[in-house]
Amino acid sequence: MTVLEQQGKRAKAAGRTLAIAGTAKKNAALEAIARTLTERQDEWLRANAEDVAAAREAGMRPAMLDRLTLTPERVAGIVDGVRQVAALPDPIGTVTKMETRPNGLIIGRRRVPLGVIAIIFEARPNVTVDAAALCLKSGNACILRGGKEAIRSNRAVAELMRAALESAGLPADCVSLVQDTDHATAEELMHLTEYVDVLIPRGGAGLIRSVARNASVPVIRTGEGVCHVYIDRDADLDMGAKILYNAKCSRPSVCNAAECVLVAENVAADFFQKAVPLLKQKNVELRCDPASLALIGGDAAAAQESDWDAEYDDYILAVRVVRDAEEAIAFINEHGTGHSEAIITNNYFTAQHFLDAVDAAAVYVNASTRFTDGGEFGLGAEIGISTQKMHARGPMGLEELTSCKYVIYGEGQVRE
């Protein structure tokens, strides 16, 4: 039995205990994690500083360095997220349906944990805690496999969480970290069908597609974020410029950041006069189609065909002039990844048509795509943003980490 198989076996056993632990015990464990991360955050921050130094030495881009970096303020936010999860209603045991059949059988459907959830993710150490907290509250054991850039951070916080679990009377193996960041280990995890019930990849498009293509365990795809902001002919252009700046620049390395702006042709010149100076405050590189390039001029470069499908994770924005909302919708449905899309308009009917016609997990009217987040949607921390159309779509909170089983009460009935 390999090291990973042994880890999977222990997680499976821990998951059976966790599944029937009850709300009070799970909440106590989450509070123990929050308290431990607060009291011993220096250990986590020291490990993270080593990761950041190594990544900087290796030439990691500034936007990705920001995603990797922890600060006391970010740790406080992560801890707050754990407590928010503890405060949420426990989905386990909820009866979603109950009916009496003509033969007298009472048939109900009850929410239960998925079992063991494996998460493969990249250089975001906060994911380690977010994923663990959501899995714990929903009664699932988790096996976490982060990227090499955050391995010191992940090892430190995993040990802190495991110690907290034991102090709360739950098995430490409810949360475990794959210690080896080799590609071979990730590949093995994708095929750990005897122990893993579902695999969730969180990261860039390459990681997600690789997992979806190679895994033999069930996969929920998350996170591919080629998101658009469409500035309609009836938009408030000042509002549009402000929203675009937030959607692109507030944190460009995350999956809900805008990667492309589409602008209706009859407002394009006026809009660019308002938006380009804002974007230049962050030195955003603009990659433009011929129509927008002619209007913006020397502050931009010509787009290549690949730019319309790019998830930059950086201060780069694709820019395109479109005829109207219909052309914008068609473009988004062709080039988007089903994540988050926004329209800026004061036309109620255009807004409603956009909401109906755009195929994405989250569709906004007059708001930034940056709100697509479990915390912002009232779910507490999120385990990912699903771009699939299965049972989970959009930010995945507690309910999305459950399955259902039927419970049947009888009085001696037998089938004829």
Side-chain angles (χ1 to χ4, degrees):
M1 183 176 280
T2 68
V3 170
L4 197 54
E5 286 173 330
Q6 293 172 13
Q7 189 171 352
K9 184 176 182 179
R10 293 194 301 270
K12 197 79 168 179
R16 293 193 179 102
T17 299
L18 181 60
I20 57 173
T23 304
K25 198 159 194 174
K26 291 186 292 186
N27 284 347
L30 289 167
E31 177 55 36
I33 288 173
R35 188 171 57 251
T36 300
L37 294 185
T38 300
E39 294 173 353
R40 299 173 61 183
Q41 66 175 290
D42 287 350
E43 298 174 42
W44 195 15
L45 291 171
R46 280 196 299 270
N48 180 252
E50 294 178 14
D51 282 331
V52 171
R56 186 178 288 111
E57 181 72 20
M60 180 180 281
R61 290 184 288 115
M64 302 304 286
L65 272 174
D66 175 69
R67 191 163 74 165
L68 174 63
T69 302
L70 289 171
T71 64
E73 292 75 21
R74 287 184 178 179
V75 170
I78 292 166
V79 168
D80 184 58
V82 173
R83 290 194 165 115
Q84 287 179 25
V85 171
L88 292 171
D90 189 346
I92 300 304
T94 302
V95 176
T96 61
K97 182 180 180 182
M98 184 72 76
E99 64 178 357
T100 302
R101 301 292 299 152
N103 62 5
L105 285 179
I106 301 172
I107 300 178
R109 191 166 56 197
R110 180 189 296 166
R111 290 204 177 278
V112 296
L114 291 170
V116 176
I117 299 176
I119 302 103
I120 297 178
F121 57 99
E122 294 176 335
R124 294 179 66 181
N126 64 295
V127 174
T128 315
V129 180
D130 292 350
L134 284 166
C135 287
L136 283 168
K137 184 62 181 268
S138 57
N140 297 288
C142 61
I143 300 174
L144 307 169
R145 195 276 187 186
K148 65 180 184 296
E149 298 87 356
I151 186 59
R152 301 168 187 84
S153 306
N154 290 336
R155 283 174 179 162
V157 77
E159 287 308 309
L160 292 176
M161 289 192 292
R162 286 167 62 85
L165 283 168
E166 288 190 321
S167 74
L170 285 175
D173 287 313
C174 291
V175 175
S176 61
L177 178 76
V178 177
Q179 299 293 318
D180 186 351
T181 61
D182 216 46
H183 286 299
T185 309
E187 186 77 21
E188 184 182 356
L189 188 59
M190 295 180 206
H191 300 287
L192 212 62
T193 53
E194 188 173 352
Y195 304 111
V196 173
D197 294 288
V198 66
L199 174 59
I200 301 173
R202 278 192 66 166
L207 168 68
I208 294 163
R209 291 169 187 168
S210 174
V211 171
R213 183 170 57 249
N214 295 317
S216 53
V217 299
V219 172
I220 299 176
R221 293 179 64 150
T222 71
E224 291 176 86
V226 179
C227 305
H228 300 76
V229 175
Y230 166 56
I231 309 299
D232 184 50
R233 64 177 61 178
D234 296 314
D236 178 326
L237 300 185
D238 289 311
M239 176 197 291
K242 179 181 176 182
I243 288 173
L244 177 63
Y245 177 80
N246 177 265
K248 177 72 262 183
C249 299
S250 63
R251 204 168 179 196
S253 63
V254 294
C255 60
N256 57 23
E259 305 291 10
C260 180
V261 61
L262 306 172
V263 188
E265 60 186 3
N266 64 332
V267 298
D270 290 339
F271 177 74
F272 292 141
Q273 286 183 2
K274 296 176 182 293
V276 171
L278 284 177
L279 296 170
K280 284 303 174 183
Q281 291 178 14
K282 293 289 187 179
N283 295 316
V284 176
E285 179 184 339
L286 304 176
R287 298 184 180 178
C288 300
D289 74 330
S292 59
L293 187 61
L295 292 169
I296 296 172
D299 288 326
Q304 305 298 313
E305 192 61 33
S306 60
D307 285 308
W308 310 125
D309 300 292
E311 185 175 7
Y312 299 114
D313 291 330
D314 206 345
Y315 289 105
I316 304 171
L317 181 69
V319 185
R320 189 180 185 95
V321 172
V322 294
R323 184 179 60 257
D324 53 19
E326 288 296 340
E327 185 176 339
I329 290 166
F331 185 88
I332 289 168
N333 286 339
E334 179 179 356
H335 296 278
T337 53
H339 193 295
S340 301
E341 309 292 353
I343 181 173
I344 314 305
T345 186
N346 288 325
N347 186 311
Y348 172 83
F349 298 101
T350 304
Q352 293 306 308
H353 180 54
F354 190 89
L355 290 174
D356 291 339
V358 167
D359 187 13
V363 186
Y364 294 82
V365 177
N366 296 332
S368 171
T369 57
R370 289 280 287 110
F371 286 103
T372 306
D373 173 85
E376 296 292 339
F377 280 19
L379 306 178
E382 69 183 35
I383 204 161
I385 297 170
S386 171
T387 55
Q388 293 184 172
K389 298 182 182 179
M390 306 299 286
H391 83 291
R393 194 178 192 194
M396 295 174 59
L398 296 174
E399 189 172 304
E400 288 73 28
L401 299 181
T402 68
S403 181
C404 289
K405 70 177 175 184
Y406 284 93
V407 292
I408 304 97
Y409 299 91
E411 295 177 329
Q413 289 92 334
V414 294
R415 185 170 178 178
E416 299 298 332

